[in-house]
């Protein structure tokens, strides 16, 4: 083989021009093939990116479906628990209908007026007659006060037959005449006043009085009520079971004086 002979693809090429052309042709094919391969690779990468995005969307949809399914299962479980806790209703067999006779007509009152109550009806203001003194005190009726109070002055404690008694003075509201009374002390009542920080212990005695048709003995707390319009205050302890209060009226119980005044105590 001489110096002008070349090897191409393992074969001798004797013409230099042909060899160069063959090399150029082979290089062009290689570059074209490489460009085609890169284009296909770029397309494959783009498809891979789109497929990954689709996979993410599908994964998100699957997670949302799973969450909704869990919520539905929870609601079904709660409903099943409520159904199990509800008592079972047992339907009793239907009873045969019985024809009952009509009820008898109500009895008619002999009078159109309702039966009268034995309780004394009083208003917010009444006149109270003090037994044994035969004078009248203006009384305030109050359902907000527990214990009744009467105006008493010069209160003194003393002992009689080994028992505690109370001597006090009651004034006639009309003549201002003093009347000294003595009563056995029943107990002490603790009263909180607005003018003192310490509560006062006031004696409680029993006094007979009359309001309307009602005459009874009642427990009264002795206190100085000289500044009050009403020297007597009737509370719940005397109203209970014997008086009915009509808050819309005053002096509903007519005053009943004794024909002969009892001797003074």
């Amino acid at each position: 083989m001489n110096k002008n002979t070349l090897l191409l693809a393992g074969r001798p090429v004797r013409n230099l021009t042909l060899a160069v052309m063959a090399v150029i042709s082979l290089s062009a094919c290689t570059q074209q093939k490489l460009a085609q391969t890169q284009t296909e690779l770029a397309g494959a990468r783009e498809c891979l990116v789109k497929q990954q995005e689709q996979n993410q969307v599908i994964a998100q949809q699957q997670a949302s479906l799973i969450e909704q399914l869990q919520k539905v299962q929870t609601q079904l479980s709660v409903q099943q628990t409520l159904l199990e806790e509800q008592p079972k209703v047992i339907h009793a067999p239907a009873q045969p209908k019985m024809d009952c006779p009509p009820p008898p007509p109500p009895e008619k009152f002999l009078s159109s007026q309702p039966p009268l109550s034995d309780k004394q009806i009083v208003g917010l203001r009444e006149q109270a007659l003090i037994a044994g003194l035969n004078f009248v005190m203006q009384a305030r009726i109050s359902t907000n006060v527990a214990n009744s109070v009467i105006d008493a002055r010069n209160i003194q404690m003393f002992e009689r037959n080994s028992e505690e008694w109370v001597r006090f003075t009651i004034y006639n509201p009309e003549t201002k005449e003093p009347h000294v009374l003595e009563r056995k002390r029943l107990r002490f009542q603790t009263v909180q006043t607005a003018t003192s920080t310490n509560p006062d212990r006031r004696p409680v005695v029993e006094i007979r009085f009359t309001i309307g048709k009602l005459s009874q003995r009642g427990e009264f707390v002795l206190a100085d009520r000289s500044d009050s319009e009403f020297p007597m205050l009737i509370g719940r302890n005397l109203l209970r079971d014997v008086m009915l209060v009509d808050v819309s009226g005053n002096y509903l119980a007519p005053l009943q004086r004794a024909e002969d005044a009892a001797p003074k105590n």
Side-chain angles (χ1 to χ4, degrees), residues 153-158 165-169 183 203 222:
R153 322 282 178 82
N154 305 322
I155 301 173
Q156 299 176 1
M157 306 295 300
F158 66 97
W165 282 61
V166 186
R167 182 181 296 111
F168 55 96
T169 303
R183 294 290 187 272
L222 301 181

Side-chain angles (χ1 to χ4, degrees), residues 153-189:
R153 322 282 178 82
N154 305 322
I155 301 173
Q156 299 176 1
M157 306 295 300
F158 66 97
E159 185 176 343
R160 175 181 294 173
N161 298 329
S162 301
E163 294 179 339
E164 289 190 359
W165 282 61
V166 186
R167 182 181 296 111
F168 55 96
T169 303
I170 292 181
Y171 288 87
N172 188 327
E174 296 179 358
T175 64
K176 307 302 180 181
E177 180 184 1
H179 297 270
V180 179
L181 301 181
E182 294 180 352
R183 294 290 187 272
K184 180 181 177 180
R185 182 186 63 79
L186 302 179
R187 66 179 185 279
F188 281 107
Q189 179 68 38

Side-chain angles (χ1 to χ4, degrees), residues 172 184 194 199 219 241 244:
N172 188 327
K184 180 181 177 180
E219 294 183 0
D241 300 332
L244 295 177

